[in-house]
Amino acid sequence: MTTRPPKSGGPKGRKPQAGKFQAGRPPAGKFQADGRARTGPRTSARDAAERAARNRGDDAGARDPWGGQVAAAPAPARPPKPRRDAAAPRGPAVAKPGSRPPAKRAAATAPAPAPGPTRREQRAAASATLASGVQTLTVEPDEAGMRIDRFLTARFPLLPFTRVQTIVRKGELRVDGKRAKPNDRLEPGMSVRVPPLRLDQPTERPRSAAREQDDAEFIRSLILYEDADMMILNKPFGLAVQGGSGTVRHVDGLLAALTGPDGQKPRLVHRLDKDTAGCLIIAKTRLAAATLAKSFRSRAARKIYWALTAGVPRVRQGRVSTYLAKEEPTDADARMRVAKHGDEGASHALTYYAMVDQAAQKLSWLSFKPVTGRTHQLRAHAAHIGHPIVGDPKYFSVENWELPGGIQNRLHLLARRIVIPHPRTGKPVDVSAPLPPHMAQSWNLLGFDAARYDPIVEAPEV
């Protein structure tokens, strides 16, 4: 029996369907438009992104995470056909040859929405609003060693000193995240958090050029020593060093007239009482101020004071060591009292003294060398040993004592001499101040020789 070979159309002799296969081309359902083979009915992430973009009307091509660059917008084309219902079943998206990708077609018809602030940006803006007025300052190298209260005064000249003390006392000021005390010292790089200050605008009238010139000439007339870093003034009797209640004219305010072209104002390094005359050191730069302040703290500076006191001490040369505290802690110019070790606010005070000359066993010319620098230290120590300084309104309390004729009832205390290492070279700067007019009058009346050798210079300090 002869059998026929099967027909070329496939099993059971069926003919191939028209359009099922095309010569030289694989089935369209097995490959994508770019020639990549499909693995089955599952769609790729790219296809899912494109479909989601079409549903939103968004430009998926501009946010294509797989593509290299965003293609330029195609030329305008005819309007697309109405979309089918999103709920209707949809087969895999297959791009026809020569057609645009769906993402590009969507970009041509629907503009991208304007981006809004992210939640992180919104939180940051809210935090900035809540923290408005709070400042974080960084301590500069030339501010090393400054007290925290003086640091604030230097950074905010319009801030009253009482406000500075209130900020620190209430703990509103933080240094490296910790509470600070007014006398804490700062080091370079420290972070100082300052609360809102609410600085008031200055109500003073603008200073005239003539007044500025007069103040500058007055300060220059007081200079005993000057170089590029520092100067030493001969502060007159009755001129306050810093401003206070009812004090309008003071050295710190007058120094503004000597502000340099770089905006640097000369700075106070230490203080003298209003009625104490003599040597007052001024720093011209912030770095010099910090270095000179360290010299005072380390006791590298040597100071000698002259005073006219009541009576004659039995011990011609001696040492006074006590603890001093304010009688009224809240009063900046309160009287100091001799306290005991451990008392609240008590600080140790050490002074050496020597008698240079005396007059009729009634008055003495004493020379003082203070080792520490407490408020009213010499005046309190002179009264403590029973020989208060003539003309002292706070500490002179000798009964039945009359002021000799021809001697003015003014404080007879002079910051006679100061020796301090130069802030740049380290070499000692030695300056002496002359007697103020009222003390010169008393010296002449009592026959004291101001050129006489001062025994305190060689006095021991141990």
mmCIF file of all heavy atoms in Angstrom, residues 204-220 249 251-260 265-266:
data_model
loop_
_atom_site.group_PDB
_atom_site.id
_atom_site.type_symbol
_atom_site.label_atom_id
_atom_site.label_comp_id
_atom_site.label_asym_id
_atom_site.label_seq_id
_atom_site.Cartn_x
_atom_site.Cartn_y
_atom_site.Cartn_z
ATOM 1 N N GLU A 204 20.341 107.903 70.967
ATOM 2 C CA GLU A 204 21.229 109.040 71.053
ATOM 3 C C GLU A 204 21.299 109.771 69.714
ATOM 4 O O GLU A 204 21.177 109.173 68.643
ATOM 5 C CB GLU A 204 22.632 108.589 71.455
ATOM 6 C CG GLU A 204 22.681 107.946 72.839
ATOM 7 C CD GLU A 204 24.085 107.529 73.192
ATOM 8 O OE1 GLU A 204 24.982 107.715 72.326
ATOM 9 O OE2 GLU A 204 24.304 107.033 74.296
ATOM 10 N N ARG A 205 21.505 111.053 69.818
ATOM 11 C CA ARG A 205 21.665 111.822 68.600
ATOM 12 C C ARG A 205 22.987 111.479 67.939
ATOM 13 O O ARG A 205 23.959 111.147 68.617
ATOM 14 C CB ARG A 205 21.614 113.324 68.919
ATOM 15 C CG ARG A 205 20.270 113.799 69.406
ATOM 16 C CD ARG A 205 20.327 115.277 69.736
ATOM 17 N NE ARG A 205 21.270 115.554 70.811
ATOM 18 C CZ ARG A 205 21.564 116.785 71.238
ATOM 19 N NH1 ARG A 205 20.988 117.828 70.668
ATOM 20 N NH2 ARG A 205 22.418 116.954 72.215
ATOM 21 N N PRO A 206 23.047 111.530 66.615
ATOM 22 C CA PRO A 206 24.304 111.207 65.949
ATOM 23 C C PRO A 206 25.411 112.164 66.382
ATOM 24 O O PRO A 206 25.196 113.355 66.543
ATOM 25 C CB PRO A 206 23.961 111.367 64.457
ATOM 26 C CG PRO A 206 22.714 112.200 64.419
ATOM 27 C CD PRO A 206 21.974 111.886 65.663
ATOM 28 N N ARG A 207 26.577 111.576 66.602
ATOM 29 C CA ARG A 207 27.711 112.372 67.053
ATOM 30 C C ARG A 207 28.212 113.238 65.907
ATOM 31 O O ARG A 207 28.327 112.793 64.767
ATOM 32 C CB ARG A 207 28.829 111.458 67.547
ATOM 33 C CG ARG A 207 28.444 110.665 68.784
ATOM 34 C CD ARG A 207 29.467 109.581 69.066
ATOM 35 N NE ARG A 207 30.780 110.127 69.316
ATOM 36 C CZ ARG A 207 31.232 110.478 70.515
ATOM 37 N NH1 ARG A 207 30.445 110.357 71.569
ATOM 38 N NH2 ARG A 207 32.448 110.949 70.683
ATOM 39 N N SER A 208 28.532 114.486 66.223
ATOM 40 C CA SER A 208 29.032 115.401 65.214
ATOM 41 C C SER A 208 30.518 115.165 64.994
ATOM 42 O O SER A 208 31.229 114.619 65.848
ATOM 43 C CB SER A 208 28.789 116.848 65.656
ATOM 44 O OG SER A 208 29.533 117.131 66.843
ATOM 45 N N ALA A 209 30.995 115.596 63.832
ATOM 46 C CA ALA A 209 32.414 115.437 63.511
ATOM 47 C C ALA A 209 33.281 116.251 64.467
ATOM 48 O O ALA A 209 34.376 115.825 64.849
ATOM 49 C CB ALA A 209 32.662 115.862 62.064
ATOM 50 N N ALA A 210 32.772 117.432 64.872
ATOM 51 C CA ALA A 210 33.552 118.267 65.801
ATOM 52 C C ALA A 210 33.690 117.583 67.153
ATOM 53 O O ALA A 210 34.767 117.601 67.771
ATOM 54 C CB ALA A 210 32.879 119.630 65.954
ATOM 55 N N ARG A 211 32.613 116.932 67.623
ATOM 56 C CA ARG A 211 32.689 116.235 68.908
ATOM 57 C C ARG A 211 33.624 115.046 68.815
ATOM 58 O O ARG A 211 34.377 114.759 69.753
ATOM 59 C CB ARG A 211 31.288 115.781 69.325
ATOM 60 C CG ARG A 211 31.261 115.093 70.692
ATOM 61 C CD ARG A 211 29.860 114.698 71.068
ATOM 62 N NE ARG A 211 29.834 113.960 72.327
ATOM 63 C CZ ARG A 211 28.745 113.448 72.866
ATOM 64 N NH1 ARG A 211 27.572 113.620 72.246
ATOM 65 N NH2 ARG A 211 28.801 112.785 73.998
ATOM 66 N N GLU A 212 33.568 114.318 67.711
ATOM 67 C CA GLU A 212 34.480 113.192 67.520
ATOM 68 C C GLU A 212 35.929 113.667 67.570
ATOM 69 O O GLU A 212 36.784 113.028 68.190
ATOM 70 C CB GLU A 212 34.190 112.514 66.179
ATOM 71 C CG GLU A 212 32.870 111.782 66.106
ATOM 72 C CD GLU A 212 32.936 110.418 66.772
ATOM 73 O OE1 GLU A 212 34.052 109.991 67.127
ATOM 74 O OE2 GLU A 212 31.884 109.790 66.948
ATOM 75 N N GLN A 213 36.204 114.789 66.929
ATOM 76 C CA GLN A 213 37.572 115.308 66.917
ATOM 77 C C GLN A 213 38.003 115.743 68.311
ATOM 78 O O GLN A 213 39.144 115.488 68.733
ATOM 79 C CB GLN A 213 37.670 116.472 65.936
ATOM 80 C CG GLN A 213 39.096 117.026 65.786
ATOM 81 C CD GLN A 213 39.177 118.130 64.747
ATOM 82 O OE1 GLN A 213 38.167 118.472 64.116
ATOM 83 N NE2 GLN A 213 40.359 118.679 64.550
ATOM 84 N N ASP A 214 37.103 116.369 69.053
ATOM 85 C CA ASP A 214 37.440 116.800 70.416
ATOM 86 C C ASP A 214 37.727 115.596 71.312
ATOM 87 O O ASP A 214 38.689 115.612 72.103
ATOM 88 C CB ASP A 214 36.296 117.636 71.005
ATOM 89 C CG ASP A 214 36.139 118.978 70.313
ATOM 90 O OD1 ASP A 214 37.090 119.401 69.621
ATOM 91 O OD2 ASP A 214 35.064 119.597 70.457
ATOM 92 N N ASP A 215 36.905 114.547 71.188
ATOM 93 C CA ASP A 215 37.135 113.352 71.997
ATOM 94 C C ASP A 215 38.453 112.684 71.642
ATOM 95 O O ASP A 215 39.194 112.219 72.524
ATOM 96 C CB ASP A 215 35.978 112.366 71.806
ATOM 97 C CG ASP A 215 34.678 112.861 72.419
ATOM 98 O OD1 ASP A 215 34.732 113.840 73.198
ATOM 99 O OD2 ASP A 215 33.618 112.286 72.112
ATOM 100 N N ALA A 216 38.748 112.628 70.344
ATOM 101 C CA ALA A 216 40.013 112.007 69.919
ATOM 102 C C ALA A 216 41.205 112.790 70.443
ATOM 103 O O ALA A 216 42.197 112.211 70.917
ATOM 104 C CB ALA A 216 40.046 111.897 68.394
ATOM 105 N N GLU A 217 41.131 114.124 70.379
ATOM 106 C CA GLU A 217 42.237 114.945 70.871
ATOM 107 C C GLU A 217 42.393 114.803 72.388
ATOM 108 O O GLU A 217 43.523 114.765 72.907
ATOM 109 C CB GLU A 217 42.009 116.406 70.500
ATOM 110 C CG GLU A 217 42.120 116.683 69.000
ATOM 111 C CD GLU A 217 41.827 118.131 68.661
ATOM 112 O OE1 GLU A 217 41.443 118.890 69.597
ATOM 113 O OE2 GLU A 217 41.969 118.520 67.480
ATOM 114 N N PHE A 218 41.274 114.682 73.105
ATOM 115 C CA PHE A 218 41.356 114.532 74.552
ATOM 116 C C PHE A 218 42.017 113.201 74.933
ATOM 117 O O PHE A 218 42.893 113.148 75.803
ATOM 118 C CB PHE A 218 39.957 114.618 75.164
ATOM 119 C CG PHE A 218 39.917 114.330 76.635
ATOM 120 C CD1 PHE A 218 40.437 115.239 77.547
ATOM 121 C CD2 PHE A 218 39.388 113.148 77.106
ATOM 122 C CE1 PHE A 218 40.415 114.971 78.909
ATOM 123 C CE2 PHE A 218 39.358 112.870 78.467
ATOM 124 C CZ PHE A 218 39.879 113.785 79.367
ATOM 125 N N ILE A 219 41.603 112.124 74.274
ATOM 126 C CA ILE A 219 42.202 110.828 74.567
ATOM 127 C C ILE A 219 43.688 110.829 74.236
ATOM 128 O O ILE A 219 44.519 110.308 75.002
ATOM 129 C CB ILE A 219 41.468 109.709 73.795
ATOM 130 C CG1 ILE A 219 40.075 109.471 74.392
ATOM 131 C CG2 ILE A 219 42.270 108.419 73.808
ATOM 132 C CD1 ILE A 219 40.101 108.863 75.778
ATOM 133 N N ARG A 220 44.043 111.429 73.118
ATOM 134 C CA ARG A 220 45.461 111.450 72.733
ATOM 135 C C ARG A 220 46.292 112.278 73.700
ATOM 136 O O ARG A 220 47.492 112.024 73.884
ATOM 137 C CB ARG A 220 45.605 111.970 71.309
ATOM 138 C CG ARG A 220 45.005 111.027 70.267
ATOM 139 C CD ARG A 220 45.452 111.369 68.869
ATOM 140 N NE ARG A 220 44.891 110.435 67.895
ATOM 141 C CZ ARG A 220 45.377 109.220 67.649
ATOM 142 N NH1 ARG A 220 46.439 108.805 68.330
ATOM 143 N NH2 ARG A 220 44.824 108.437 66.763
ATOM 144 N N ARG A 249 29.814 110.394 80.226
ATOM 145 C CA ARG A 249 31.161 110.534 79.683
ATOM 146 C C ARG A 249 32.080 109.533 80.391
ATOM 147 O O ARG A 249 32.226 109.556 81.618
ATOM 148 C CB ARG A 249 31.662 111.969 79.891
ATOM 149 C CG ARG A 249 33.023 112.265 79.275
ATOM 150 C CD ARG A 249 33.352 113.750 79.479
ATOM 151 N NE ARG A 249 34.683 114.109 79.046
ATOM 152 C CZ ARG A 249 35.014 114.405 77.796
ATOM 153 N NH1 ARG A 249 34.090 114.371 76.861
ATOM 154 N NH2 ARG A 249 36.255 114.737 77.484
ATOM 155 N N VAL A 251 35.678 106.601 79.567
ATOM 156 C CA VAL A 251 36.792 106.270 78.673
ATOM 157 C C VAL A 251 36.330 105.353 77.545
ATOM 158 O O VAL A 251 36.701 105.548 76.381
ATOM 159 C CB VAL A 251 37.939 105.611 79.475
ATOM 160 C CG1 VAL A 251 39.057 105.150 78.532
ATOM 161 C CG2 VAL A 251 38.496 106.568 80.508
ATOM 162 N N ASP A 252 35.526 104.362 77.861
ATOM 163 C CA ASP A 252 35.084 103.414 76.845
ATOM 164 C C ASP A 252 34.315 104.117 75.729
ATOM 165 O O ASP A 252 34.445 103.771 74.554
ATOM 166 C CB ASP A 252 34.220 102.334 77.490
ATOM 167 C CG ASP A 252 33.988 101.151 76.575
ATOM 168 O OD1 ASP A 252 34.861 100.866 75.737
ATOM 169 O OD2 ASP A 252 32.923 100.508 76.693
ATOM 170 N N GLY A 253 33.508 105.101 76.083
ATOM 171 C CA GLY A 253 32.786 105.846 75.060
ATOM 172 C C GLY A 253 33.690 106.769 74.261
ATOM 173 O O GLY A 253 33.509 106.937 73.048
ATOM 174 N N LEU A 254 34.673 107.363 74.923
ATOM 175 C CA LEU A 254 35.595 108.257 74.224
ATOM 176 C C LEU A 254 36.472 107.504 73.237
ATOM 177 O O LEU A 254 36.916 108.075 72.225
ATOM 178 C CB LEU A 254 36.467 109.004 75.235
ATOM 179 C CG LEU A 254 35.730 109.960 76.187
ATOM 180 C CD1 LEU A 254 36.695 110.487 77.251
ATOM 181 C CD2 LEU A 254 35.103 111.112 75.417
ATOM 182 N N LEU A 255 36.751 106.234 73.512
ATOM 183 C CA LEU A 255 37.617 105.452 72.620
ATOM 184 C C LEU A 255 36.998 105.247 71.251
ATOM 185 O O LEU A 255 37.699 104.935 70.282
ATOM 186 C CB LEU A 255 37.931 104.098 73.248
ATOM 187 C CG LEU A 255 38.858 104.116 74.467
ATOM 188 C CD1 LEU A 255 38.980 102.734 75.057
ATOM 189 C CD2 LEU A 255 40.235 104.666 74.093
ATOM 190 N N ALA A 256 35.669 105.420 71.138
ATOM 191 C CA ALA A 256 35.026 105.273 69.831
ATOM 192 C C ALA A 256 35.553 106.286 68.834
ATOM 193 O O ALA A 256 35.517 106.055 67.620
ATOM 194 C CB ALA A 256 33.513 105.411 69.980
ATOM 195 N N ALA A 257 36.048 107.422 69.326
ATOM 196 C CA ALA A 257 36.588 108.448 68.423
ATOM 197 C C ALA A 257 37.904 108.011 67.787
ATOM 198 O O ALA A 257 38.353 108.628 66.809
ATOM 199 C CB ALA A 257 36.792 109.753 69.192
ATOM 200 N N LEU A 258 38.529 106.956 68.328
ATOM 201 C CA LEU A 258 39.805 106.471 67.775
ATOM 202 C C LEU A 258 39.616 105.213 66.943
ATOM 203 O O LEU A 258 40.601 104.498 66.675
ATOM 204 C CB LEU A 258 40.791 106.194 68.913
ATOM 205 C CG LEU A 258 41.168 107.380 69.800
ATOM 206 C CD1 LEU A 258 42.199 106.950 70.831
ATOM 207 C CD2 LEU A 258 41.706 108.540 68.964
ATOM 208 N N THR A 259 38.397 104.940 66.516
ATOM 209 C CA THR A 259 38.153 103.770 65.670
ATOM 210 C C THR A 259 38.952 103.883 64.380
ATOM 211 O O THR A 259 38.921 104.902 63.700
ATOM 212 C CB THR A 259 36.656 103.630 65.358
ATOM 213 O OG1 THR A 259 35.940 103.537 66.591
ATOM 214 C CG2 THR A 259 36.393 102.394 64.519
ATOM 215 N N GLY A 260 39.674 102.810 64.033
ATOM 216 C CA GLY A 260 40.540 102.820 62.866
ATOM 217 C C GLY A 260 39.793 102.637 61.569
ATOM 218 O O GLY A 260 38.582 102.373 61.554
ATOM 219 N N LYS A 265 37.787 99.210 67.099
ATOM 220 C CA LYS A 265 37.756 100.207 68.166
ATOM 221 C C LYS A 265 38.701 99.774 69.284
ATOM 222 O O LYS A 265 38.730 98.593 69.649
ATOM 223 C CB LYS A 265 36.333 100.337 68.712
ATOM 224 C CG LYS A 265 36.225 101.202 69.965
ATOM 225 C CD LYS A 265 34.871 101.035 70.628
ATOM 226 C CE LYS A 265 34.855 101.659 72.010
ATOM 227 N NZ LYS A 265 33.593 101.436 72.733
ATOM 228 N N PRO A 266 39.497 100.676 69.844
ATOM 229 C CA PRO A 266 40.352 100.307 70.979
ATOM 230 C C PRO A 266 39.522 99.747 72.129
ATOM 231 O O PRO A 266 38.398 100.188 72.383
ATOM 232 C CB PRO A 266 41.030 101.633 71.350
ATOM 233 C CG PRO A 266 40.999 102.443 70.098
ATOM 234 C CD PRO A 266 39.720 102.067 69.409
#
